[in-house]
Amino acid sequence: MTAKRLLDDCFLHDKDRLKHHEALGILKDRLSAIAEVETVRLEDALERILAEDVTAPRDVPLADNSAVDGYAFRHSDFDEAGGFFRLNQRVAAGHASDITLGPWAAARIFTGAVMPPGSDTVAMQEDCETHTQDGENFVIIPQGLKAGANCRKAGEDVSAGTSILKAGQRLRPQDIAAVASTGKPDISVHRKLRVALVSTGDELRRPGDLITVGDVYDSNHFLLRGLSAIAPVETEDLGILKDDKALVERTLRDASHRFDVILTTGGASRGEEDHMLEALDRLGQQHMWQLAIKPGRPMMFGTIGSSVFLGLPGNPVAAMVCFLLYARPVLSVLAGGHFLQPQSFQIPAGFDIAKKKPDRREFYRGYLETDDEGRQVARKFMRDGSGLITGLREADGLIEIPEDATQIKAGDMVAYLPFSGFGIR
């Protein structure tokens, strides 16, 4: 493991329970990239995080060219009545002409072909009429064309020296296309983070295993595996750890030598069978955050050697909410990207909350719907239990209620965070 350590004491604070914005502020201010830089071919760069700014080494396009199939000519020869031009050359894409157009001369030209010297305007072929007279070919170009019509100028897309992309951006297909348009065959990106996925609990079983009363299938592994796919990481499943102190400690110690991040679910509280926190204390630095949010209050953040430790709650809803709000931006920064803030917009509530505990930010599973008055409103999933996966499946976003709110009435404006803003379809 060659990744450098995070800033010392980056998670330390002097409060028993941090508010949501305070937790985000500390992470945003103190985290830094730990993923090294490597050069990859463009075909391997999709969804990678850019490690350097990219500027255009040359104009794109490199020369003036035709935007349509048609006829190139000098607009200065043109008059309001149209024009009768002599056809004296043919220019196809990839075959530039060095013949300068003389007065009242035109060139048959095709989309993408370089404009012949002297020309500045192109008439679309379907608007023109051609004919032959005395063995010579002519084209009649109709009136009304403006100078420069249907001509793409050199540097019209990007001029030489223009900044195309900034370091820290995650590369989308259109970003890679922009780099390819400059002729650059490879690009510097950050290596994907190596993330270990760990589930804990004697009661957990994997799908396909036999189950008895008291057992639970490990849905969190598949939830976090899927959520990690929206981050620039490579995951490895370390399986389910039994509630065994020695096993937990041995697994975390070994993982700290192999992975950039250890992402766990369960064991995040201080119960007698919750060994994660105790193991973290013995192996590294723990900074247990009791967050003033619902769901997801118990979370663990810390370091073991050069690995970052993220301990999410065991309830599926709390695990997903905490991943989206905290683990996602952490992974992005560690991987060399930006601190990702969720997209949100204000919308009328289509529900009531009679009483809400103050000084705690709450996140409800929700969806958008049109009410009887034709307004789009946010609906809240009726059952709020953090173990109910049904709500996650039926929701298409989160409804955020701030700390100072003590009740919500239908029609009040609330913040809505669509799952699509987190990169989830």
Side-chain angles (χ1 to χ4, degrees), residues 69-329:
D69 292 343
Y71 301 90
F73 63 97
R74 305 189 322 178
H75 194 272
S76 59
D77 296 330
F78 201 53
D79 58 39
E80 292 184 359
F84 194 81
F85 290 83
R86 195 174 57 257
L87 278 172
N88 66 357
Q89 57 179 299
R90 182 179 185 276
V91 187
H95 302 277
S97 170
D98 58 1
I99 302 174
T100 301
L101 284 183
W104 295 100
R108 178 71 166 114
I109 196 167
F110 298 90
T111 303
V114 174
M115 299 285 287
S119 65
D120 58 11
T121 306
V122 179
M124 296 177 66
Q125 63 182 13
E126 53 265 43
D127 295 332
C128 299
E129 180 183 339
T130 60
H131 70 97
T132 301
Q133 181 176 324
D134 298 329
E136 193 169 8
N137 295 321
F138 294 86
V139 59
I140 299 174
I141 296 176
Q143 62 183 4
L145 277 177
K146 295 181 179 180
N150 302 312
C151 175
R152 295 184 291 217
K153 306 296 288 184
E156 179 179 280
D157 189 9
V158 178
S159 59
T162 299
S163 175
I164 298 176
L165 299 170
K166 294 290 186 182
Q169 290 182 236
R170 194 168 178 186
L171 294 169
R172 305 166 298 170
Q174 57 266 47
D175 299 323
I176 295 174
V179 176
S181 73
T182 71
K184 187 175 175 63
D186 48 37
I187 195 166
S188 293
V189 297
H190 287 276
R191 173 184 55 79
K192 287 186 177 182
L193 290 179
R194 295 182 288 265
V195 176
L197 297 180
V198 181
S199 303
T200 65
D202 285 347
E203 75 282 8
L204 293 182
R205 301 289 183 270
R206 285 289 169 85
D209 294 342
L210 293 177
I211 192 170
T212 61
V213 175
D215 294 339
V216 178
Y217 282 122
D218 180 16
S219 60
N220 276 2
H221 168 74
F222 298 93
L223 175 67
L224 295 182
R225 186 184 184 93
L227 290 172
S228 295
I230 66 176
V233 305
E234 294 176 340
T235 59
E236 183 174 326
D237 178 19
L238 300 191
I240 298 171
L241 300 187
K242 296 296 185 181
D243 292 323
D244 179 286
K245 184 183 302 185
L247 174 62
V248 169
E249 184 172 334
R250 182 171 64 252
T251 301
L252 295 185
R253 181 190 299 112
D254 292 345
S256 70
H257 298 302
R258 299 173 49 212
F259 297 95
D260 303 302
V261 178
I262 303 171
L263 180 61
T264 71
T265 60
S269 61
R270 297 181 182 274
E272 292 183 7
E273 296 299 326
D274 295 323
H275 301 300
M276 280 292 178
L277 181 58
E278 187 177 348
L280 184 57
D281 281 337
R282 288 194 298 270
L283 296 174
Q285 264 189 324
Q286 75 88 10
H287 309 283
M288 181 65 180
W289 282 6
Q290 291 289 328
L291 300 181
I293 70 167
K294 179 185 178 182
R297 179 171 60 88
M299 284 193 63
M300 288 180 288
F301 291 78
T303 53
I304 302 176
S306 59
S307 291
V308 174
F309 181 89
L310 298 173
L312 305 184
N315 286 321
V317 177
M320 181 166 175
V321 169
C322 288
F323 182 96
L324 295 179
L325 297 179
Y326 307 112
R328 176 175 174 263

Side-chain angles (χ1 to χ4, degrees), residues 347-365:
I347 191 169
F351 57 89
D352 295 298
I353 298 177
K355 186 177 181 180
K356 173 192 164 292
K357 185 177 180 179
D359 300 322
R360 181 176 71 186
R361 188 165 300 210
E362 299 187 356
F363 295 88
Y364 295 94
R365 287 147 285 172

Side-chain angles (χ1 to χ4, degrees), residues 38-98:
E38 61 184 7
T39 300
V40 300
R41 301 285 297 178
L42 285 186
E43 49 264 45
D44 300 318
L46 184 63
E47 299 297 340
R48 301 294 292 275
I49 291 182
L50 188 61
E52 64 180 3
D53 294 351
V54 176
T55 57
R58 56 185 64 83
D59 287 344
V60 179
L62 193 59
D64 293 358
N65 66 89
S66 178
V68 298
D69 292 343
Y71 301 90
F73 63 97
R74 305 189 322 178
H75 194 272
S76 59
D77 296 330
F78 201 53
D79 58 39
E80 292 184 359
F84 194 81
F85 290 83
R86 195 174 57 257
L87 278 172
N88 66 357
Q89 57 179 299
R90 182 179 185 276
V91 187
H95 302 277
S97 170
D98 58 1

